Amino acid sequence: MKIAQVYSHLNGLEFLMVHKPQLWEEIKQAIEAVDASLVMDKISKEKTMVGRKLYSPSGLNKLFKAEFKQRDWEEVRVPYCVNEDLDTTRQIANILDRNEQRKIIEENGFRSFNTYNQIDFVKDRVAIEIQFGKYFSVQYDLHVKHTFFYGIGDIDVGIEIIPNHNLMSQMSTGVAWYENELMNIVREGRSNPSVPIILIGIEP
């Protein structure tokens, strides 16, 4: 695979190149090491492309996971508790200890539900999400995942790796693509999302 386009939001790329250039090199090496031809094996059942051979999203994810794990990038999960009451939610929103959150919820008379935020890969305060899912998944990554980990002080930069138009056209319909997500970010204004982001468009 290769990097086709890069957009730096709130100087995310500039921060990485100045403070952690070795990580930027690792990211480029991991992307270039992925041989996408190995997973051009999904046979489409969609009406508009029945029988057409496409890139497999799950296959691509496995290839990327192997490359980043080989370079010591690790998945991170942060568990927390939620409930239906607004006042209680405000009370626990900035508490990071799940047991303390659960205790407050139950003391307030509500039922506590366990959940978590997860990021694909993190290393030295840089987070990476690789997204071959539906288009709305990118917005969730940008506005929930990257924003959450940045907000609690665990990362300095979030990176979103997605197909560009060329790769997207060789996958099932509905996949997020660089050119479209670039427009979404620009339309939201310079300060939204409020976390330095590097948006990377990739292609075979």
Side-chain angles (χ1 to χ4, degrees):
M1 303 288 282
K2 63 181 180 182
I3 295 176
Q5 293 102 6
V6 176
Y7 170 67
S8 176
H9 177 74
L10 296 181
N11 298 319
L13 178 59
E14 291 76 6
F15 176 89
L16 198 61
M17 294 185 72
V18 169
H19 298 284
K20 303 175 183 185
Q22 76 282 3
L23 294 187
W24 180 236
E25 288 303 315
E26 281 188 14
I27 293 164
K28 291 191 293 184
Q29 290 168 7
I31 292 171
E32 291 169 359
V34 170
D35 182 358
S37 67
L38 297 175
V39 293
M40 183 69 155
D41 57 3
K42 180 177 180 178
I43 306 301
S44 177
K45 297 179 181 177
E46 295 182 38
K47 289 183 180 178
T48 56
M49 55 175 89
V50 173
R52 184 179 166 190
K53 190 176 285 189
L54 303 171
Y55 286 106
S56 162
S58 61
L60 285 170
N61 272 322
K62 288 179 181 176
L63 294 176
F64 274 97
K65 184 176 182 178
E67 293 300 330
F68 278 101
K69 283 191 72 67
Q70 184 178 331
R71 293 165 175 80
D72 298 323
W73 291 74
E74 298 292 340
E75 178 188 275
V76 170
R77 292 188 181 200
V78 174
Y80 59 97
C81 293
V82 297
N83 78 116
E84 76 272 25
D85 181 62
L86 175 59
D87 289 337
T88 303
T89 298
R90 285 173 172 160
Q91 190 178 349
I92 66 171
N94 295 318
I95 297 174
L96 297 180
D97 186 284
R98 181 173 59 175
N99 292 327
E100 187 177 350
Q101 291 176 323
R102 182 185 298 112
K103 180 182 177 184
I104 293 172
I105 291 171
E106 292 175 353
E107 283 178 350
N108 287 357
F110 298 100
R111 183 179 176 187
S112 174
F113 299 98
N114 293 328
T115 186
Y116 61 87
N117 269 330
Q118 172 269 345
I119 205 92
D120 286 344
F121 305 104
V122 176
K123 184 175 180 179
D124 195 14
R125 298 179 58 81
V126 176
I128 297 175
E129 274 291 313
I130 299 173
Q131 192 54 260
F132 299 114
K134 299 300 182 184
Y135 60 89
F136 51 79
S137 300
V138 171
Q139 292 304 308
Y140 186 80
D141 290 347
L142 297 180
H143 293 281
V144 178
K145 290 187 175 184
H146 290 306
T147 301
F148 170 78
F149 284 96
Y150 183 74
I152 64 174
D154 281 2
I155 67 169
D156 296 315
V157 179
I159 298 175
E160 192 78 8
I161 299 176
I162 61 175
N164 72 349
H165 187 274
N166 178 26
L167 175 56
M168 177 274 292
S169 66
Q170 301 175 73
M171 302 180 74
S172 298
T173 56
V175 174
W177 44 296
Y178 176 88
E179 293 84 345
N180 195 39
E181 295 306 326
L182 175 63
M183 175 64 86
N184 287 335
I185 293 174
V186 170
R187 278 177 168 167
E188 290 174 9
R190 185 57 185 160
S191 61
N192 193 22
S194 58
V195 49
I197 293 286
I198 305 173
L199 182 68
I200 299 176
I202 58 171
E203 65 181 7

